[in-house]
């Protein structure tokens, strides 16, 4: 047996464990989900589902409610990702001198993202309540009355909560990217007379671009599939005003008992995510 | 010697655990009913359980997503619990994963629970649960403020002006027992500071408008008291009716005139209690379960002892209140069915257990003889029995296997209307369409 053939065999052997693991942990659920998406299935007949072809996909692809939820998630994801990245960049450039001398301070900035999103929802449900909440109380002290959870403000409120919780994540990645920029380059640019804004524009931002794209992508995906804090705060309402695609799928699955259609939407979502992933990967490799 | 002792201990423990079969009860969590049920289970273990050679334990999921978790477990054939929660409005959904318990219901049961209470645990003619908590709605109102409204000439004059200006009719204040829905709205306006600067409260009432099925149960007395129903006797869907439009309008008028907090669209049970408990709301329609909490001076010093209860306002078809019962039923996947049935039999026939449960904060729909025993400590209980008997209604189709799903659809569309997201016609037409699809199968 040649050296290459032997190495190939070893490689296959070493990979086999991972493949078996993936087949059980991802492959089986994936196949089961594809079957469910092609079946008429509910909780009462979960073991005796009936094959219906693409009917579930057809129903959902032509459902205005599904597209409304998809639109909400898309808009929510884009706004949150953009705000988080911009805020994180501002924080990185402002706080970098302090954080590089006292890195332990970073831990404090990470606290919001350590709280579970559902708990965050409960927390804000209390904090923003007109009668029991501390935030409306402070606003009232200045003669300002705002209904943070009222229909007119609820969209902004859920975005602000998401941004407050997850900007630290973007900050963490972007701070690492900023710290990875060689001090020699920074020093050389300074010697050439570069001003702070020029340093950011021509040195740091281009060097940090792959990290920015990755963070924006991760945050978009994460915000796109938002569920917990919105569900706790509004239940997707009033009406369907804050129904994200995840809440839509959840309600379809559990409340409407339309398991096949819920899984079909999940697969549509998976397919869309794959497209996004390929696009983001291309962007990253191109910028590198 | 050590080994011998160890072996004896293990043998003794093994024998003991074989003799005591455990049953696990999955029950509705939170508040006084949870504490009360734990005590009842302890009572069983100390008394009847010893005779039955059975020991019961109780477990709880969190309230958020409770039904979904139970549904998933039940559909998966989980053996983690033997007895599970039942509710009038969703027995049909869980019935495929449960076993009927008709053979446990006899004259002994009716000495504890009246027949109409057992009826609330039936699906397609079979009994699926022993009821242990009755849920209905009261009108909670501040006695001090309403008392002054009925006696202070200046307040009466102002009330008449407000009703004339906002409702187009000069109404006079009435006692809450005599209210119709116009009185309800007019009084809500009177006690709203943005409408009446002299109001002692910030808002007249507090509505629960979160997109949540339970909030629709609270609202639909407005419809029932105007003769509305989901379906007529022939099975025709009757959502597009004057009764539903009037019910929607009652809430919309209050929302548009800001007589309920501006963030009511995110309110459910807890938020409404905190609004009323803050002393900034004059009255509200709320579940009976809130009585002990609001009357507790430690939790709600602003309102404890200052409010009274009555039925909801009347419509042309009289006074109505939605009611349902929660209960405990037998899981089809249980591996300890015999012991579980023994526990249910005991729960369904024990005067002591149900009296204890009521005294500790539960609301069992028991016969008058038991209600009267606890009336001193729980004056709301006899009232509940009376209201359920006199005013209780269940929408036609409200116990079907589609009920839960339909309540969700109603909640989504009607809360959307109140928030200005949908027109009245859109909301009604959406609900009609979904209801027609559901009942057509």
């Amino acid at each position: 047996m040649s050296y290459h053939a032997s190495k190939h065999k070893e490689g296959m052997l070493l990979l086999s464990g991972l493949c078996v693991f993936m087949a059980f942990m991802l492959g089986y659920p994936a196949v089961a989900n594809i079957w469910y998406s092609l079946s008429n299935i509910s909780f009462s007949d979960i073991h005796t589902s009936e094959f219906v072809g693409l009917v579930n996909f057809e129903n959902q692809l032509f459902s205005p409610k599904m597209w409304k939820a998809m639109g909400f998630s898309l808009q929510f994801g884009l706004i949150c990702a953009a705000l988080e990245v911009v805020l994180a960049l501002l924080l990185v450039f402002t706080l970098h001198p302090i954080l590089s001398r006292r890195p332990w301070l970073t831990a404090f900035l990470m606290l919001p993202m350590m709280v579970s999103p559902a708990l965050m929802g409960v927390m804000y449900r209390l904090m923003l309540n007109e009668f029991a909440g501390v935030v409306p109380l402070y606003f009232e002290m200045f003669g300002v009355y705002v209904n943070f959870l009222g229909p007119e403000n609820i969209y902004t409120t859920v975005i602000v909560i998401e941004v407050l919780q997850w900007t630290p994540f973007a900050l963490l990645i972007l701070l690492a990217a900023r710290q990875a920029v060689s001090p020699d380059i920074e020093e050389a640019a300074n010697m050439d007379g570069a001003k702070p804004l020029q340093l950011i524009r021509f040195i740091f931002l281009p060097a940090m671009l792959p990290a920015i794209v990755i963070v924006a992508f991760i945050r978009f995906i994460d915000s796109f599939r938002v569920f917990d804090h919105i569900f706790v705060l509004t239940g997707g309402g009033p009406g369907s005003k804050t129904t994200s695609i995840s809440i839509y799928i959840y309600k379809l699955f559990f409340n409407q008992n339309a398991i096949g259609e819920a899984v079909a939407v999940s697969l549509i979502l998976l397919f869309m995510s794959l497209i996004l992933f390929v696009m983001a990967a291309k962007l990253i490799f191109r910028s590198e | 010697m050590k080994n011998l002792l160890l072996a004896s201990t293990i043998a003794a423990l093994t024998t003991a655990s074989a003799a005591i079969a455990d049953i696990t009860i999955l029950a509705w969590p939170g508040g006084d009913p949870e504490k009360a049920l734990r005590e009842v289970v302890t009572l069983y273990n100390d008394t009847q359980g010893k005779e039955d050679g059975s020991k019961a334990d109780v477990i709880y999921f969190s309230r958020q997503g409770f039904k979904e978790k139970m549904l998933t477990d039940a559909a998966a054939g989980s053996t983690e619990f033997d007895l599970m929660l039942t509710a009038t409005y969703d027995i049909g959904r869980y019935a495929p994963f449960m076993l009927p318990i008709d053979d446990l219901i006899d004259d002994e049961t009716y000495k504890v629970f009246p027949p109409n209470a057992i009826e609330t645990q039936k699906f397609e003619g079979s009994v699926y649960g022993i009821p242990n908590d009755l849920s209905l709605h009261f009108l909670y109102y501040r006695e001090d403020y309403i008392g002054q409204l009925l006696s202070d000439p200046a307040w009466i004059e102002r009330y008449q002006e407000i009703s004339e200006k906002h409702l187009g009719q000069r109404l006079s204040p009435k006692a809450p027992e005599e209210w119709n829905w116009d009185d309800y709205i007019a009084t809500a306006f009177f006690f709203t500071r943005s409408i009446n600067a002299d109001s002692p409260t910030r808002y007249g009432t507090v509505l629960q408008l979160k997109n949540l099925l339970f909030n629709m149960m609270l609202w639909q007395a407005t419809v029932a008291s105007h003769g509305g129903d989901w379906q007529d006797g022939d099975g025709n869907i009757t959502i597009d009716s004057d009764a539903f439009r009037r019910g929607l309008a009652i809430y919309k008028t209050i929302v548009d005139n800001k007589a309920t907090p501006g963030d009511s669209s995110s309110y459910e049970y807890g938020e409404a209690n905190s609004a009323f408990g803050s002393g900034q709301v004059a009255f509200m329609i709320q579940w009976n379960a809130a009585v002990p909490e609001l009357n507790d001076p430690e939790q709600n010093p602003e309102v404890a002892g200052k409010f009274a209860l009555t039925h909801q306002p009347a419509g042309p078809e009289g006074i109505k209140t939605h009611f349902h019962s929660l209960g405990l039923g037998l899981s089809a996947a249980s591996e300890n069915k015999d012991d579980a049935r023994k526990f249910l039999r005991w729960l369904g026939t024990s005067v002591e257990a149900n009296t204890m449960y009521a005294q500790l904060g539960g609301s069992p729909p028991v016969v008058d003889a038991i209600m009267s025993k606890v009336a001193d400590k729980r004056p709301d209980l006899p009232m509940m029995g009376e209201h359920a008997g006199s005013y209780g209604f269940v929408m036609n189709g409200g116990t079907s296997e589609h009920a839960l799903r339909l309540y969700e659809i109603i909640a989504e569309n009607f809360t959307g209307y109140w928030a200005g997201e949908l027109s009245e016609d859109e909301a009604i037409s959406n609900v009609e369409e979904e209801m027609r699809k559901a009942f057509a199968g």
Side-chain angles (χ1 to χ4, degrees):
Chain A
M1 190 185 288
S2 73
Y3 174 78
H4 286 294
S6 160
K7 281 286 169 196
H8 182 73
K9 196 177 171 186
E10 272 178 26
M12 294 289 276
L13 196 68
L14 288 170
L15 271 176
S16 61
L18 179 66
C19 290
V20 170
F21 177 80
M22 295 284 276
F24 273 103
M25 299 306 289
L26 290 177
Y28 172 72
V31 171
N33 277 337
I34 290 169
W35 171 252
Y36 287 157
S37 72
L38 301 172
S39 308
N40 182 12
I41 181 171
S42 65
F43 278 103
S44 53
D45 54 16
I46 206 155
H47 300 299
T48 55
S49 53
E50 173 200 359
F51 181 78
V52 291
L54 295 171
V55 169
N56 292 327
F57 287 92
E58 190 187 334
N59 287 345
Q60 285 305 313
L61 284 170
F62 290 100
S63 162
K65 282 185 185 176
M66 194 280 276
W67 287 111
K68 189 179 175 192
M70 194 75 90
F72 172 88
S73 288
L74 194 65
Q75 197 180 34
F76 183 86
L78 285 171
I79 294 173
C80 289
L83 286 175
E84 286 162 19
V85 169
V86 169
L87 271 176
L89 280 171
L90 286 174
L91 287 170
V92 164
F93 294 126
T94 315
L95 299 178
H96 176 250
I98 303 169
L99 295 176
S100 55
R101 279 196 295 274
R102 295 180 182 82
W104 52 269
L105 280 174
T106 316
F108 285 103
L109 293 168
M110 297 302 116
L111 282 176
M113 71 177 194
M114 292 175 193
V115 180
S116 104
L119 192 60
M120 203 78 166
V122 174
M123 209 170 81
Y124 278 102
R125 201 168 139 184
L126 184 67
M127 283 172 62
L128 300 177
N129 183 279
E130 183 178 341
F131 299 95
V134 67
V135 180
L137 187 75
Y138 282 128
F139 273 78
E140 273 180 44
M141 284 164 66
F142 295 100
V144 180
Y145 296 90
V146 190
N147 281 312
F148 293 96
L149 301 175
E152 65 280 16
N153 294 320
I154 190 64
Y155 188 74
T156 312
T157 301
V158 293
I159 285 179
V160 169
I161 294 172
E162 175 83 357
V163 169
L164 283 177
Q165 178 162 30
W166 292 109
T167 298
F169 172 82
L171 170 67
L172 189 68
I173 307 287
L174 297 180
L175 186 67
R178 164 67 186 85
Q179 286 171 345
V181 177
S182 166
D184 297 343
I185 300 174
E186 193 178 343
E187 196 181 329
N190 278 328
M191 286 181 71
D192 287 341
K195 292 175 181 160
L197 283 178
Q198 288 174 316
L199 265 178
I200 291 172
R201 166 76 181 82
F202 298 108
I203 304 293
F204 297 130
L205 283 180
M208 292 165 69
L209 192 59
I212 292 171
V213 173
I214 288 169
V215 165
F217 178 69
I218 293 173
R219 287 312 315 145
F220 171 74
I221 291 285
D222 217 20
S223 298
F224 183 82
R225 60 188 181 85
V226 64
F227 180 89
D228 308 55
H229 80 269
I230 295 185
F231 192 72
V232 171
L233 271 178
T234 70
S240 55
K241 195 167 188 165
T242 56
T243 300
S244 67
I245 193 69
S246 301
I247 294 176
Y248 177 79
I249 292 171
Y250 175 87
K251 288 189 167 183
L252 208 55
F253 194 99
F254 286 109
N255 300 342
Q256 303 300 311
N257 203 10
I259 296 178
E261 291 190 23
V263 176
V265 182
S266 303
L267 290 178
I268 294 169
L269 210 58
L270 175 69
F271 183 68
M272 289 169 69
S273 303
L274 284 176
I275 295 175
L276 270 176
F277 175 74
V278 171
M279 283 164 60
K282 276 187 179 170
L283 199 62
I284 292 165
F285 291 131
R286 199 173 63 187
S287 58
E288 278 181 343
Chain B
M1 188 62 190
K2 262 186 184 174
N3 287 345
L4 188 64
L5 270 173
L6 190 65
S8 314
T9 311
I10 290 170
L13 285 173
T14 313
T15 316
S17 57
I20 300 171
D22 286 328
I23 53 166
T24 306
I25 303 161
L26 174 61
W28 185 243
D32 293 332
E34 178 181 330
K35 291 177 207 159
L37 185 63
R38 286 186 190 280
E39 292 300 319
V40 167
V41 168
T42 305
L43 175 70
Y44 175 76
N45 290 336
D46 293 344
T47 55
Q48 184 67 36
K50 284 187 175 158
E51 275 182 40
D52 294 344
S54 173
K55 190 178 175 201
D57 195 9
V58 61
I59 58 168
Y60 296 90
F61 294 152
S62 64
R63 274 194 188 214
Q64 189 84 38
F66 180 99
K67 293 292 178 80
E68 290 86 339
K69 290 169 201 161
M70 189 171 79
L71 181 62
T72 312
D73 271 5
S78 170
T79 55
E80 293 300 313
F81 49 84
D82 306 287
L83 297 174
M84 56 195 275
L85 183 78
T86 54
T88 307
Y89 53 84
D90 63 9
I91 295 177
R93 181 172 228 190
Y94 294 94
F97 319 114
M98 299 179 75
L99 294 175
I101 53 165
D102 297 86
D103 55 318
L104 300 181
I105 310 297
D106 58 19
D107 289 346
E108 288 299 306
T109 320
Y110 291 123
K111 286 178 187 166
V112 178
F113 295 102
N116 62 358
I118 298 295
E119 283 293 315
T120 61
Q121 291 288 314
K122 272 188 176 177
F123 176 66
E124 292 183 344
S126 296
V127 179
Y128 279 87
I130 298 293
N132 61 354
D133 268 305
L134 180 64
S135 283
L136 47 71
H137 308 135
F138 289 136
L139 177 73
Y140 294 65
Y141 65 94
R142 290 287 298 268
E143 277 187 296
D144 44 356
Y145 297 148
I146 297 291
Q148 188 172 351
L149 176 61
L150 293 172
S151 58
D152 185 329
W155 279 31
I156 293 171
E157 175 64 23
R158 184 81 184 110
Y159 181 96
Q160 289 171 335
E161 285 168 16
I162 287 171
S163 64
E164 191 165 26
K165 184 179 173 191
H166 291 275
L167 294 175
Q169 45 183 332
R170 197 172 173 84
L171 300 172
S172 293
K174 290 182 205 156
E177 292 76 21
E178 296 164 23
W179 282 1
N180 60 28
W181 290 103
D182 281 336
D183 299 314
Y184 172 81
I185 297 171
T187 316
F189 286 177
F190 177 81
F191 284 110
T192 297
R193 207 168 286 150
S194 62
I195 295 172
N196 174 17
D198 297 330
S199 167
T201 56
R202 204 182 300 169
Y203 299 103
T205 191
V206 51
L207 302 179
Q208 298 174 40
L209 303 177
K210 188 174 180 180
N211 177 357
L212 189 70
L213 68 106
F214 302 110
N215 293 344
M216 296 305 101
M217 293 173 184
L218 269 169
W219 163 75
Q220 64 187 3
T222 59
V223 174
S225 63
H226 285 84
D229 209 333
W230 287 6
Q231 305 175 95
D232 63 18
D234 299 326
N236 300 310
I237 307 301
T238 51
I239 302 296
D240 192 356
S241 63
D242 291 344
F244 268 86
R245 288 182 189 275
R246 172 67 178 142
L248 286 168
I250 289 168
Y251 266 37
K252 184 73 171 164
T253 307
I254 290 171
V255 170
D256 288 352
N257 284 280
K258 300 183 171 50
T260 182
D263 49 0
S264 298
S265 58
S266 65
Y267 279 20
E268 51 181 292
Y269 177 81
E271 283 84 355
N273 279 351
S274 91
F276 187 76
S278 73
Q280 290 301 322
V281 168
F283 60 88
M284 67 170 176
I285 293 170
Q286 178 62 298
W287 297 90
N288 58 284
V291 177
E293 177 186 335
L294 291 170
N295 253 335
D296 180 352
E298 280 186 20
Q299 287 186 67
N300 288 291
E302 293 290 332
V303 298
K306 292 180 187 169
F307 67 88
L309 306 172
T310 187
H311 52 72
Q312 295 179 67
E317 298 299 319
I319 300 156
K320 300 287 178 187
T321 182
H322 162 99
F323 81 116
H324 65 248
S325 72
L326 300 181
L328 291 174
L330 180 58
S331 165
S334 166
E335 290 175 331
N336 300 300
K337 291 188 184 72
D338 288 343
D339 289 320
R341 293 166 66 81
K342 283 176 191 167
F343 179 85
L344 284 180
R345 173 69 181 168
W346 174 79
L347 189 67
T349 54
S350 169
V351 173
E352 186 187 3
N354 284 285
T355 308
M356 178 197 231
Y357 187 64
Q359 280 171 336
L360 293 174
S363 306
V366 284
V367 293
D368 291 344
I370 301 178
M371 289 268 192
S372 58
K373 280 187 192 172
V374 296
D376 285 350
K377 208 171 175 186
R378 295 288 309 278
D380 53 311
L381 276 187
M383 202 174 183
M384 283 172 61
E386 183 198 327
H387 282 209
S390 305
Y391 317 128
F393 74 90
V394 176
M395 287 290 185
N396 184 5
T399 58
S400 71
E401 59 179 305
H402 310 294
L404 213 58
R405 175 186 164 199
L406 293 173
Y407 271 121
E408 293 283 349
I409 286 163
I410 292 171
E412 181 181 324
N413 284 283
F414 290 171
T415 61
Y417 166 61
W418 292 317
E421 203 197 357
L422 294 172
S423 71
E424 185 185 81
D425 286 340
E426 280 173 322
I428 284 179
S429 142
N430 290 346
V431 172
E432 274 241 344
E433 189 187 334
E434 292 294 335
M435 217 173 253
R436 200 167 288 122
K437 273 193 227 165
F439 286 119

